[in-house]
């Protein structure tokens, strides 16, 4: 028992000086870990102004960057995935699809369509990594194959912008077969003499790399993108060795002769257009 | 030493007992009644075990160490075989064997994954996991077959393409992708038999055929059950569950309708119990498909193959 009683209230903490900020105002760059004003990144086409890291962007944003304004005609917007294997891990595949559709406002992991690029008609397929990791199941394979067939029909160059973890496990064997189907369509395109440009963005791995993404007449990578067949973790576990620095990055692939060039997002449209106009023997864009 | 799987153990023990009784049988001692009884029991047990296999057990059968590999099929089915080596760029890949031979009188090209049976050979064959140069050798041989107008038989049995630093440096993805595109355009018949493990892109890279068939106890999937489990649950040991989810057996894949043309029945207890019998059945199927495909012109062959893979999707519109 205390002799003296102190009945003072505890000292009130100093009012926090920390400024309350709305979330999302600042973004930490995944590559250089700098904290940057989000608007500044956006203005810079979602490229880190400090280290040139190319942030992942949605299919729509990508289309706006390379296709002339107002010229894009989407094809097969309503094609949807089916859970024919009744695949279930921690979650059911049907629920995963539903959640992804709700988050992305419809569609699947790829958006396809035709449009103009500096007034030249082109067919594009653009991956959305946010939709189940850009994984390729029946819908993705079918949409890409149809895009290639549309290019054949229109005699228009075809471009695919990849960003994908690879084949979609939840459709097992049929996902695998999309690799063969899309590549077979490219054989037809090649025979018809129509250009196919493959743009590899962060990340492009697995069954997507091992099919159309590596089959471009030109393979073009965005800076510092992860591009490979097996994921780095799988390789590390197999060979039980640390991987060399920069392994499977765009610059490493350029060194090893797997991509033709590395092109930044700011220059992408100009460079693609320049190449297509040479391949199709058209005058350069004004 | 004899190799057997866990669920084969009761069978192996029973068969061992039967053999022992036979050995003890002399002019004076007759076990024939007992032997008969045991044989009956063994047949019943075999039937029971093999008609109720889980998908994981069938995966294990597909990987059975005594299962016939490509060179075993070559030995039993073909004549005039000679192997050719190398991709003309880097090295020869022993995980993928290529060569020419005759199916009865018919000249043909043969391409297949090759696994090893003992430790030394397993390492030499890289466990049947090819590097890019293996796929490039296969393409070289396939295009040579096209040049000479020969049909191509491929035998698929790989855990997958090798995931290593060198493989990535030399373009594993590009090698597989190129094969997919070039196989689609071949003007000669291509007949694919999945004999064991159809492991993802590493299998598909030699499997774009006019006809695709699977052995009864083979499996075919986009990823190995262990790999699938590692991604889904970060636990490769949950392969048995992943095998169930992936629906990878010949029965599962046949039920999808669009992927394979035939399931080739195996001797009861699996192809490893009788290589010659298994090969004889495979041979019948190869001849049947070849007869059918010989009626098609080069252009029709390309188109038939294209339409076959073109039809492979299940979607909602």
């Amino acid at each position: 028992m205390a002799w003296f009683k102190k009945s003072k209230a505890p000292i009130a903490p100093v009012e926090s000086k920390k400024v309350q900020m709305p979330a999302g105002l600042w973004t930490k760059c995944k590559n250089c870990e700098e904290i940057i004003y989000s608007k500044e990144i956006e203005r810079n086409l979602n490229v880190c102004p400090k280290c040139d890291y190319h942030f992942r962007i949605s299919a729509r944003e990508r289309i706006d960057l390379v296709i002339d304004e107002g010229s894009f005609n989407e094809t097969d917007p309503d094609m949807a995935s089916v859970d024919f294997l009744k695949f279930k891990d921690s979650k059911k595949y049907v629920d995963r699809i539903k959640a992804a559709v709700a988050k992305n406002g419809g569609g699947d992991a790829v958006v396809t369509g035709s449009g103009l690029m500096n007034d030249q008609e082109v067919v594009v397929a653009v991956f959305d990594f946010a939709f189940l990791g850009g994984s390729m199941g029946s819908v993705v394979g079918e949409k890409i194959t149809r895009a290639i067939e549309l290019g054949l029909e229109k005699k228009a160059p075809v471009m695919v912008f990849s960003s994908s973890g690879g084949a979609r496990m939840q459709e097992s064997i049929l996902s695998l077969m999309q690799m063969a189907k899309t590549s077979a369509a490219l054989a037809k395109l090649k025979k018809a003499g129509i250009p196919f440009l493959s743009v590899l963005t962060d990340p492009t791995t697995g069954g997507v790399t091992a099919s159309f993404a590596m089959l471009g007449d030109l393979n073009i990578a965005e800076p510092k993108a992860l591009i490979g067949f097996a994921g780095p973790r799988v390789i590390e576990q197999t060979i039980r060795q640390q991987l060399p620095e920069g392994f499977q990055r765009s610059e490493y692939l350029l060194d090893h002769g797997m991509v033709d060039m590395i092109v930044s997002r700011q220059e992408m449209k100009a460079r693609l257009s320049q190449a297509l106009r040479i391949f199709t023997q058209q005058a350069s864009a004004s | 030493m004899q190799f057997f799987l866990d669920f084969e153990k009761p069978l192996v023990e029973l068969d061992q007992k039967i053999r022992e009784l036979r050995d003890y049988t002399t002019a004076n001692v007759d076990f024939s009644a007992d032997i008969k009884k045991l044989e009956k029991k063994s047949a019943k047990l075999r039937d029971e075990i093999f008609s109720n296999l889980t998908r994981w057990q069938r995966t294990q059968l597909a990987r059975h160490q005594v299962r016939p590999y490509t060179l075993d099929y070559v030995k039993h089915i073909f004549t005039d075989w000679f192997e050719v080596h190398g991709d003309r760029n880097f090295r020869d890949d022993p995980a993928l064997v290529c060569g020419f031979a005759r199916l009865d009188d018919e000249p043909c090209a043969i391409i297949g994954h090759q696994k090893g049976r003992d430790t030394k050979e397993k390492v030499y064959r890289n466990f049947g996991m090819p590097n890019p140069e293996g796929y490039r050798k296969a393409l070289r041989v396939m295009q040579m077959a096209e040049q000479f107008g020969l049909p191509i038989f491929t035998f698929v049995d790989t855990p997958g393409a090798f995931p290593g630093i060198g493989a990535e440096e030399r373009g594993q993805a590009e090698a597989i992708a190129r094969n997919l595109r070039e196989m689609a355009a071949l003007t000669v018949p291509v007949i694919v038999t999945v004999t064991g493990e159809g492991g993802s892109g590493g299998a598909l890279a030699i499997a774009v055929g006019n006809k695709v068939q699977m052995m009864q106890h083979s499996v075919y999937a986009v990823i190995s059950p262990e790999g699938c489990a590692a991604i889904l649950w970060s636990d490769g040991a949950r392969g048995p569950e992943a095998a169930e989810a992936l629906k990878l057996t010949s029965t599962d894949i046949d039920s999808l309708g669009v992927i394979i043309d035939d399931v080739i029945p195996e001797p009861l207890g699996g192809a490893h119990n009788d290589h010659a019998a298994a090969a004889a059945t495979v041979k019948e199927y190869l001849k049947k498909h070849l007869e059918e495909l010989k009626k098609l012109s080069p252009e029709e062959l390309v188109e038939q193959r294209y339409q076959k893979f073109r039809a492979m999707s299940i979607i909602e519109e």
Side-chain angles (χ1 to χ4, degrees):
Chain A
M1 213 172 97
W3 285 74
F4 304 102
K5 225 180 181 173
K6 236 186 196 174
S7 61
K8 256 195 213 159
I11 302 163
V14 184
E15 184 117 335
S16 170
K17 284 232 175 97
K18 215 174 158 193
V19 186
Q20 294 296 315
M21 268 194 301
L25 206 53
W26 298 84
T27 306
K28 188 175 177 183
C29 172
K30 256 195 274 176
N31 186 50
C32 66
E33 305 199 331
E34 282 275 347
I35 312 255
I36 306 152
Y37 191 43
S38 298
K39 282 259 170 64
E40 196 182 338
I41 298 177
E42 258 169 60
R43 267 199 302 272
N44 202 28
L45 307 179
N46 285 299
V47 175
C48 172
K50 304 277 182 214
C51 73
D52 202 32
Y53 173 75
H54 284 49
F55 285 88
R56 290 169 193 167
I57 57 175
S58 73
R60 308 283 164 189
E61 288 171 289
R62 172 89 52 194
I63 289 165
D64 288 346
L65 287 179
V66 292
I67 298 296
D68 298 350
E69 208 181 323
S71 73
F72 184 66
N73 280 318
E74 189 175 349
T75 50
D76 304 305
D78 302 322
M79 196 189 291
S81 295
V82 180
D83 180 20
F84 50 88
L85 292 182
K86 306 265 173 287
F87 196 99
K88 186 170 180 275
D89 46 278
S90 55
K91 246 177 162 183
K92 282 185 190 159
Y93 178 40
V94 254
D95 296 336
R96 282 188 194 276
I97 299 170
K98 268 189 210 149
V101 167
K103 197 173 95 184
N104 267 38
D108 205 276
V110 76
V111 176
T112 54
S114 61
L116 300 175
M117 191 168 73
N118 290 338
D119 295 323
Q120 181 178 18
E121 184 168 43
V122 293
V123 177
V124 290
V126 184
F127 275 80
D128 225 324
F129 191 79
F131 194 105
L132 297 178
S135 58
M136 173 164 68
S138 283
V139 168
V140 170
E142 183 65 23
K143 282 175 92 167
I144 287 175
T145 307
R146 286 189 193 179
I148 296 165
E149 288 172 340
L150 185 66
L152 267 169
E153 195 188 302
K154 288 176 178 282
K155 298 200 175 6
V158 179
M159 296 183 289
V160 177
F161 295 81
S162 301
S163 178
S164 168
R168 191 175 291 174
M169 280 187 303
Q170 291 87 346
E171 293 183 30
S172 194
I173 191 73
L174 265 167
S175 295
L176 183 67
M177 293 304 153
Q178 304 313 311
M179 295 168 61
K181 188 167 84 181
T182 51
S183 304
L186 284 176
K188 285 199 165 182
L189 198 71
K190 195 169 189 64
K191 206 176 167 202
I194 298 169
F196 169 59
L197 305 188
S198 170
V199 180
L200 301 109
T201 73
D202 186 57
T204 301
T205 57
V208 167
T209 319
S211 56
F212 51 86
M214 270 293 154
L215 292 175
D217 293 311
L218 294 181
N219 295 333
I220 299 172
E222 278 196 335
K224 301 189 172 77
L226 175 77
I227 302 164
F229 172 66
R233 259 188 311 163
V234 176
I235 299 175
E236 245 169 15
Q237 276 170 18
T238 310
I239 59 172
R240 310 231 165 251
Q241 245 174 279
Q242 280 256 306
L243 297 173
E245 179 140 350
F247 181 66
Q248 292 184 318
R249 295 287 159 182
S250 304
E251 295 70 20
Y252 177 94
L253 269 89
L254 185 71
D255 278 350
H256 287 87
M258 295 303 148
V259 298
D260 291 281
M261 56 185 95
I262 297 174
V263 176
S264 73
R265 204 167 278 166
Q266 288 89 341
E267 292 165 5
M268 188 62 81
K269 183 176 180 180
R271 184 53 62 84
L272 291 171
S273 174
Q274 182 189 32
L276 284 186
R277 281 174 178 269
I278 284 180
F279 294 164
T280 55
Q281 306 205 24
Q282 293 190 20
S284 50
S286 47
Chain B
M1 207 192 79
Q2 206 187 352
F3 177 87
F4 56 86
L5 299 166
D6 281 349
F7 60 88
E8 290 182 298
K9 201 175 168 194
L11 268 178
V12 174
E13 282 170 357
L14 208 56
D15 290 346
Q16 177 71 27
K17 215 176 262 170
I18 295 170
R19 252 197 314 276
E20 274 167 22
L21 282 182
R22 278 220 187 91
D23 288 345
Y24 288 137
T25 305
T26 55
N28 315 331
V29 206
D30 182 23
F31 289 118
S32 63
D34 293 291
I35 291 175
K36 225 175 193 162
K37 222 164 89 190
L38 283 178
E39 275 177 342
K40 218 170 153 188
K41 199 173 157 195
S42 158
K44 200 173 153 227
L45 187 65
R46 199 179 294 269
D47 204 38
E48 246 172 55
I49 293 175
F50 278 83
S51 52
N52 291 306
L53 292 173
T54 64
R55 292 190 170 91
W56 178 245
Q57 287 172 326
R58 289 181 71 168
T59 307
Q60 289 176 299
L61 271 181
R63 295 169 175 172
H64 203 290
Q65 203 172 307
V66 196
R67 205 169 163 79
Y69 299 143
T70 296
L71 289 177
D72 299 308
Y73 286 110
V74 167
K75 187 175 82 187
H76 287 290
I77 297 176
F78 301 93
T79 53
D80 277 6
W81 157 257
F82 60 93
E83 191 177 342
V84 298
H85 295 275
D87 70 337
R88 298 292 186 271
N89 280 301
F90 184 65
R91 70 186 267 268
D92 183 47
D93 188 347
L96 217 158
V97 292
C98 300
F100 295 88
R102 282 175 195 273
L103 177 66
D104 289 339
D105 290 327
E106 196 86 40
C108 61
I110 297 165
I111 285 155
H113 300 104
Q114 182 65 35
K115 293 178 177 175
R117 240 180 271 286
D118 57 39
T119 309
K120 206 173 149 194
E121 206 200 346
K122 276 181 184 166
V123 172
Y124 172 65
R125 300 286 182 188
N126 199 27
F127 302 86
M129 293 185 282
N131 274 283
E133 50 274 17
Y135 294 113
R136 291 182 178 130
K137 168 172 69 173
L139 183 60
R140 179 172 79 86
V141 172
M142 288 191 270
Q143 289 178 333
M144 215 192 319
E146 184 177 40
Q147 179 188 343
F148 301 127
L150 307 178
I152 300 165
F153 298 108
T154 76
F155 295 91
V156 175
D157 186 13
T158 180
F162 184 62
I165 294 181
E168 295 286 328
E169 281 179 338
R170 297 192 295 280
Q172 187 71 287
E174 193 273 346
I176 293 171
R178 179 180 295 266
N179 278 20
L180 300 180
R181 185 183 69 196
E182 299 304 320
M183 281 190 89
L186 290 170
T187 53
V188 291
V190 180
I191 298 169
V192 177
T193 311
V194 181
T195 59
E197 281 180 282
S200 195
L204 188 64
I206 61 164
V208 184
N210 296 89
K211 299 282 177 186
V212 180
Q213 47 188 356
M214 286 179 75
M215 299 291 287
Q216 187 183 351
H217 295 306
S218 67
V219 293
Y220 202 177
V222 68
I223 188 169
S224 71
E226 290 89 341
C228 181
I231 292 173
L232 290 179
W233 304 295
S234 310
D235 182 4
R238 287 171 75 177
E241 280 168 78
E244 285 300 317
L246 285 168
K247 310 258 181 346
L248 73 185
T249 69
S250 60
T251 326
D252 293 323
I253 286 164
D254 195 34
S255 72
L256 290 173
V258 286
I259 310 279
I260 52 173
D261 298 277
D262 278 312
V263 174
I264 305 178
E266 292 184 24
L268 194 61
H272 57 281
N273 283 313
D274 191 343
H275 286 198
T281 324
V282 172
K283 185 175 180 178
E284 278 172 40
Y285 277 80
L286 294 181
K287 292 189 75 158
K288 177 187 90 171
H289 288 310
L290 184 60
E291 275 317 302
E292 215 176 293
L293 292 174
K294 271 165 73 180
K295 293 176 195 142
L296 302 182
S297 71
E299 296 75 33
E300 285 170 329
L301 281 168
V302 176
E303 193 53 24
Q304 185 267 347
R305 199 181 304 120
Y306 185 77
Q307 293 307 338
K308 179 182 173 64
F309 282 84
R310 186 70 191 81
M312 292 181 190
S313 52
I314 299 179
I315 52 168
E316 210 173 76
E317 287 188 89

